[in-house]
Amino acid sequence: MEKLKNNYKIEASSFDLQKFLKRINFQGEIKLNLDGIKKLMQSQIFSVPFENIDVQAGKVISLIGDDIVTQIVDKNRGGYCYQINGIFSLMLQEIGVPHYYIAVRPLVNPGQNARTHLAIIATIENEEYLIDLGFGGNSIREPLKLSEIGTEIQQGYDTFTLVKTEEDEYLLQILIEKEWSNLYSFDVTPQRWIDFKPANHYNYSHPDSTFTQKLIVVLQNPLGKKILLKNAIKSVTNGVTEIIPFEDNQLNTTLETEFNLKV
């Protein structure tokens, strides 16, 4: 049963399932089991980059569903968590997968952090799973079962775990160089789509926001991921990292050839 009414979720009259599936290069039949949702999730993260190009250009980032459809589907762009998880939510609504939003506290940066990140809890085969396509280079790559507390979960060449904190929150961690690093914490209190409007405003406009401070572009692929650095691409393939430099005047070409972004 849905924990929130449908009208509390993102809405977009322009969302067309077949156009979306073409955008994410999805092939075959949609299945509502775990493998089916995993396939949809990976089709999107391998096709739609995590990026903040519009933030860097000083633009207002819209949470209107139709604007997100235009950006990702019609303009072949990406976005950050609200756009990327938002359009996946539109797809889940269309195919009938029960889900709701949660407010997430990023822990990658030191100090006090607000709950500025959006993720999804979906019910798949009567189990609750964390779904998140929008946490940059350290995003999970497939649904993560909430009941698997303390289990090492291999997804591609990354290893994740969920633990419970003293505050009875979930803590998502990733294994980096044989040590567990915190990614974010959350509880499973359902949030309305409109609840993320203040956090979105902070992310695209506040000088303390990571997104206003530097250009971020990430595109995952079946063998790893590519991450844009200041004057280089960090390419991770089969767990092996390579740094590929480029000149300042090659940025737009690099975005197009390596990340399928034409701006």
Side-chain angles (χ1 to χ4, degrees):
M1 182 176 177
E2 296 268 14
K3 290 193 176 183
L4 284 180
K5 297 178 181 178
N6 281 334
N7 62 359
Y8 290 168
K9 295 197 179 93
I10 183 175
E11 298 177 341
S13 60
S14 61
F15 181 81
D16 181 281
L17 180 60
Q18 294 308 313
K19 286 183 178 179
F20 173 73
L21 296 178
K22 183 178 180 180
R23 167 68 178 93
I24 66 172
N25 301 306
F26 181 86
Q27 302 291 327
E29 178 186 353
I30 291 178
K31 297 181 179 179
L32 302 187
N33 56 20
L34 180 59
D35 285 341
I37 304 305
K38 172 184 172 181
K39 181 179 178 182
L40 284 162
M41 185 173 173
Q42 294 189 344
S43 293
Q44 179 172 323
I45 64 174
F46 296 160
S47 304
V48 179
F50 179 89
E51 50 103 339
N52 68 332
I53 293 172
D54 285 350
V55 175
Q56 287 292 295
K59 297 181 180 180
V60 171
I61 305 302
S62 174
L63 291 189
I64 297 172
D66 291 312
D67 292 342
I68 292 173
V69 171
T70 297
Q71 175 166 317
I72 292 179
V73 178
D74 299 336
K75 295 184 177 179
N76 212 56
R77 288 281 306 281
Y80 54 20
C81 64
Y82 314 113
Q83 290 87 16
I84 291 176
N85 286 329
I87 202 160
F88 199 77
S89 171
L90 286 169
M91 185 274 302
L92 291 177
Q93 292 179 63
E94 190 73 16
I95 65 176
V97 175
H99 66 285
Y100 60 95
Y101 312 128
I102 55 171
V104 176
R105 189 184 312 280
L107 299 172
V108 175
N109 297 318
Q112 296 291 323
N113 297 285
R115 293 184 177 186
T116 56
H117 181 60
L118 177 152
I120 293 169
I121 302 295
T123 301
I124 307 169
E125 297 177 316
N126 298 316
E127 291 273 4
E128 284 198 323
Y129 286 82
L130 172 68
I131 289 180
D132 188 1
L133 301 83
F135 202 67
N138 290 324
S139 281
I140 56 176
R141 297 163 67 96
E142 56 191 75
L144 198 157
K145 190 186 294 186
L146 291 185
S147 63
E148 291 189 332
I149 299 298
T151 304
E152 292 191 13
I153 302 162
Q154 192 77 27
Q155 296 189 357
Y157 285 88
D158 289 326
T159 304
F160 299 92
T161 190
L162 271 180
V163 298
K164 278 295 192 76
T165 69
E166 294 180 355
E167 293 80 20
D168 201 33
E169 291 185 332
Y170 292 90
L171 174 63
L172 179 66
Q173 298 178 312
I174 187 171
L175 192 62
I176 299 176
E177 296 181 355
K178 300 182 180 180
E179 291 190 2
W180 290 106
S181 295
N182 296 336
L183 293 179
Y184 55 67
S185 64
F186 61 92
D187 61 35
V188 292
T189 304
Q191 307 292 319
R192 305 183 189 189
W193 180 253
I194 193 65
D195 292 337
F196 294 95
K197 193 171 183 179
N200 178 53
H201 186 268
Y202 170 87
N203 277 331
Y204 76 71
S205 66
H206 199 281
D208 290 344
S209 166
T210 300
F211 300 105
T212 63
Q213 294 174 12
K214 62 180 180 179
L215 179 64
I216 303 171
V217 184
V218 179
L219 184 61
Q220 305 217 32
N221 61 66
L223 299 179
K225 52 199 167 190
K226 291 181 179 179
I227 302 171
L228 185 74
L229 305 177
K230 182 173 176 59
N231 285 103
I233 296 171
K234 179 181 179 181
S235 178
V236 183
T237 305
N238 296 329
V240 178
T241 298
E242 180 184 10
I243 304 297
I244 306 167
F246 61 86
E247 301 296 329
D248 285 343
N249 60 6
Q250 296 176 307
L251 175 60
N252 287 343
T253 301
T254 299
L255 290 174
E256 185 170 359
T257 58
E258 302 295 335
F259 300 94
N260 193 30
L261 280 171
K262 192 170 184 178
V263 296

